[in-house]
Amino acid sequence: MSPKTLYDKIWDAHVAHEADDGTCLLYIDRHLVHEVTSPQAFEGLRLTGRSVRAPDKTIAVPDHNVPTTLDRAKGIENEESRIQVEALDKNAKDFGVHYYPVSDVRQGIVHIVGPEQGWTLPGMTVVCGDSHTATHGAFGALAHGIGTSEVEHVLATQTLIQSKSKNMKVEITGKLKPGVTAKDITLAVIGETGTAGGTGYVIEYCGEAIRDLSMEGRMTVCNMAIEGGARAGLIAPDETTYAYVKGRPHAPKGAQWEAALNWWKTLYTDEDAVFDKVVTLKAEDIEPVVTWGTSPEDVLPITGVVPDPASFKGGKVDAAKRALEYMGLTAGQKLTDIQIDTVFIGSCTNGRIEDLRAAAAILKGKKIKDGMRAMIVPGSGLVRAQAEEEGLADIFKEAGFEWRLAGCSMCLAMNPDQLAEGERCAATSNRNFEGRQGYKGRTHLVSPAMAAAAAITGHLTDVREMM
Amino acid sequence: MEKFEKLSGIAAPMPLVNIDTDMIIPKVFLKSIARTGFGKNLFDEMRYNRDGTEIEDFVLNKPAYREAQILVAGDNFGCGSSREHAPWALADFGIKAVVSTSFADIFYNNCFKNGILPIVLPQEAVDVLMQDAEKGANARMDIDLEAQTVTTSDGESFAFEVDAFKKHCLMNGLDDIDLTLEKAAAIDTFEAAAAQARPWV
Ligand code: SF4
């Protein structure tokens, strides 16, 4: 047998039909659903009289629109948001899919809830009408975002029409330096490859620095594969993976666990398998990074200065000019001189327990800068509960952070958590696009520890100086 | 779905790179539970002032491009969120084709489900088409999906690649779900075998 990559193996195990032209029907093991990209798909089923083919493999949770303030039990004020969440309540019930409503402690961001509940397992195919489905690749699952027409297609057929992507390897050799995290790895990779560098590929992340990461860290890395343009990001499962999965509510148990484990252990890239593209970074070369512009590829070490647009090539020159104007920055300005007024810690990139621990380690016994608006939005109700149990919530509250309920919140600002015009935010989320966190709001992407440091000093800060 | 065979239309130049789906349709408009009506908010933040008046310099607000059916865009068009609201907004406005050097994966797929043809061409070709688009309403660009060509108003023609299956569906206005359900037997067989092999799923 010819050697295969991890991606090849998962792909081959899920092809339900292959047409003469190579177009495949890929069987989908888990379909995650949220309120923003699904209403039109369920409506499509109703209009055509179709049902959900595999409701037991379909999991729904509202996250994008839900308020994260402590009084949310009294309902959603914004009428359109309320209608979307109510539509999901109804669709989940009518079509009989697994559901975690707003009132459930397990509710949270779909990409945090899936792994937490053991729905996401190695070797699976996982899709969701959301680009950050790539997160689940951390388990060695082939996971990617789809559009609403495809959501409807998966609901109706439990398959997706796909042609195979190419294989790309991103290897991070060696060990990370102190103060450098999974978020810095994933941003550094995008800085290296550009936002279109992964287009047409599925990335497998490997190397010592990746192996050393916890599941939380691996999810952070894979989460942003999409910002690098890739269809999906993957990390081969290992002992860290099995330890995380074991005992979760929907993970296999007993003899099934053993059978599953036997298969999972075959999920690695064969030694002689060929990748179409290889990128290698040394972990020692990665610094804590921030974004200065309006694309996730606009990445620099925190020790750097705002670049001169003239230093770029082609269409990027104008894009950089536009970005500096939008961000209100001047070329040559030190990144650590950039003053911020808002800090957001949360999202499916960095809303897990480990992220909150990293922030708390910096914030312990400290206060945020006067006038700073700072919020922590745990990725799920269970992450929130655990952080309270570990005493992290007290550290945040004492430091002056708002301690919120779970949801997407200011990651995309569909709920009332938004930046006002001209406000500048250090955010642990994944997108710094124009308007992403609010009209004319300005976003600098950072790790949770860097966000915490900035909250204290009031400007972008090298977290290593606070450790 | 509407069929796409040939198109002769005005092309609007949008040389900016990395035009993301938040720019194409900002999230404040994602709260609808319908598929239609997004066209008026296409490129909303680039197109309108906060008071709702039009920003004159924005390309689709210029008299020459108000009826544009084609966009010629910078690299990596449609990156970001998976929102299908982006192609819904483009289609609702009347855009039927987008030309760029590259597209984000999910956006690219979403286009085909909504009767929009995304065309990938090398930089040199996109440069020529961009110049042609800059001529405005006096110049019409021609797209022939069957022949897989884009032709400028001066008659210069570029061939493009497109997946045969996607082309077939677009040319015939076929619904993917109907096509897949024709293969229900294959899915049944696969599902039964997978349930044996991986019962924990
Ligand atoms: S947290 Fe942000 S990126 Fe993640 S699913 Fe929610 S909106 Fe999308």
Side-chain angles (χ1 to χ4, degrees), chain A residues 34 63-64 109-112 128 130-133 135 223 227 344 346-350 407-414 429-431 436, chain B residues 81 83:
Chain A
H34 66 80
D63 54 6
H64 284 62
I109 304 168
V110 62
H111 308 308
I112 294 195
C128 174
D130 188 282
S131 53
H132 290 99
T133 310
T135 312
N223 175 275
E227 270 68 42
F344 168 67
S347 86
C348 58
T349 315
N350 285 126
C408 292
S409 182
M410 209 192 258
C411 175
L412 94 165
M414 263 186 93
S429 45
N430 44 48
R431 289 194 173 133
R436 172 77 177 183
Chain B
S81 142
R83 62 189 68 159

Side-chain angles (χ1 to χ4, degrees), chain A residues 9-245:
Chain A
K9 289 181 182 177
I10 304 174
W11 173 273
D12 290 349
H14 289 86
V15 175
H17 181 272
E18 182 164 356
D20 296 337
D21 66 2
T23 307
C24 291
L25 275 184
L26 200 67
Y27 190 83
I28 301 304
D29 293 326
R30 292 286 180 264
H31 185 193
L32 309 173
V33 175
H34 66 80
E35 80 277 19
V36 178
T37 55
S38 69
Q40 295 87 351
F42 283 112
E43 203 46 37
L45 293 185
R46 283 199 182 88
L47 289 173
T48 48
R50 291 175 180 138
S51 56
V52 176
R53 181 179 167 108
D56 54 324
K57 293 175 179 168
T58 311
I59 298 100
V61 58
D63 54 6
H64 284 62
N65 273 300
V66 302
T68 60
T69 42
L70 301 179
D71 59 355
R72 83 168 171 205
K74 65 176 212 265
I76 303 177
E77 211 164 293
N78 178 290
E79 188 181 342
E80 290 160 306
S81 296
R82 195 177 60 241
I83 290 172
Q84 271 192 344
V85 173
E86 284 170 359
L88 188 64
D89 289 341
K90 179 167 165 37
N91 288 329
K93 189 156 160 265
D94 289 359
F95 291 93
V97 308
H98 297 279
Y99 191 46
Y100 302 100
V102 176
S103 57
D104 193 309
V105 67
R106 297 166 297 177
Q107 177 271 343
I109 304 168
V110 62
H111 308 308
I112 294 195
V113 173
E116 200 168 70
Q117 292 300 317
W119 290 115
T120 307
L121 300 172
M124 281 184 161
T125 45
V126 181
V127 295
C128 174
D130 188 282
S131 53
H132 290 99
T133 310
T135 312
H136 308 263
F139 291 80
L142 176 60
H144 57 86
I146 55 178
T148 297
S149 296
E150 291 175 315
V151 170
E152 186 177 337
H153 191 278
V154 177
L155 288 171
T157 70
Q158 205 57 27
T159 63
L160 203 55
I161 302 171
Q162 288 274 290
S163 33
K164 204 173 168 199
S165 304
K166 288 179 285 185
N167 279 291
M168 174 166 169
K169 171 160 104 169
V170 172
E171 186 172 9
I172 316 290
T173 61
K175 298 230 176 263
L176 290 175
K177 291 187 297 195
V180 184
T181 67
K183 182 64 166 289
D184 302 300
I185 296 182
T186 204
L187 283 171
V189 170
I190 298 160
E192 179 75 23
T193 62
T195 46
T199 305
Y201 295 91
V202 164
I203 296 177
E204 181 177 346
Y205 298 95
C206 60
E208 186 183 356
I210 298 291
R211 283 277 142 249
D212 283 350
L213 293 175
S214 64
M215 283 318 291
E216 283 86 351
R218 294 179 188 185
M219 283 189 256
T220 302
V221 170
C222 289
N223 175 275
M224 292 192 73
I226 186 74
E227 270 68 42
R231 175 166 294 171
L234 284 171
I235 296 174
D238 60 10
E239 293 304 325
T240 306
T241 322
Y242 313 141
Y244 178 98
V245 169

Side-chain angles (χ1 to χ4, degrees), chain A residues 13-17 21 23 25 27 29-30 36-37 39-41 44 50 53-54 57 65 78 80-81 83-84 87 121 124 129-131 145-150 152-153 156-159 161-163 195-196 199 226 229 231 252 256 259-260 263-264 295 297 315-316 318-319 322 412-414 421 431 433-439, chain B residues 15-18 20-23 26-36 38 44-46 48-50 55 74-76 79-85 88 102-106 108-110 113-114 123 163-166 168-169 175-181 183-192 194-195 197-201:
Chain A
H14 289 86
V15 175
H17 181 272
D21 66 2
T23 307
L25 275 184
Y27 190 83
D29 293 326
R30 292 286 180 264
V36 178
T37 55
Q40 295 87 351
R50 291 175 180 138
R53 181 179 167 108
K57 293 175 179 168
N65 273 300
N78 178 290
E80 290 160 306
S81 296
I83 290 172
Q84 271 192 344
L121 300 172
M124 281 184 161
D130 188 282
S131 53
I146 55 178
T148 297
S149 296
E150 291 175 315
E152 186 177 337
H153 191 278
T157 70
Q158 205 57 27
T159 63
I161 302 171
Q162 288 274 290
S163 33
T195 46
T199 305
I226 186 74
R231 175 166 294 171
Q256 297 243 339
W263 188 56
W264 297 345
S295 165
E297 71 190 10
K316 189 71 195 171
D318 280 341
R322 186 185 164 94
L412 94 165
M414 263 186 93
E421 207 167 320
R431 289 194 173 133
F433 297 156
E434 290 181 20
R436 172 77 177 183
Q437 293 195 284
Y439 180 75
Chain B
L16 196 65
V17 299
N18 294 330
D20 58 69
T21 54
D22 282 73
M23 286 184 191
K27 74 227 152 208
V28 283
F29 305 107
L30 305 191
K31 296 190 174 179
S32 165
I33 56 171
R35 272 180 206 254
T36 51
F38 295 103
D44 199 84
E45 290 180 3
M46 300 161 103
Y48 303 106
N49 292 303
R50 280 254 114 169
I55 296 173
D75 311 344
N76 198 28
C79 59
S81 142
S82 66
R83 62 189 68 159
E84 198 159 319
H85 310 68
W88 292 338
S102 57
F103 292 89
D105 188 49
I106 304 174
Y108 186 81
N109 281 324
N110 282 343
K113 317 276 180 198
N114 293 283
Q123 188 69 57
D163 176 85
F165 176 75
K166 290 192 167 87
H168 173 73
C169 291
D175 173 49
D176 281 353
I177 300 182
D178 282 337
L179 288 176
T180 297
L181 289 174
K183 306 190 183 88
I187 303 173
D188 290 342
T189 310
F190 177 89
E191 202 166 51
R198 298 188 292 277
W200 61 86
V201 175

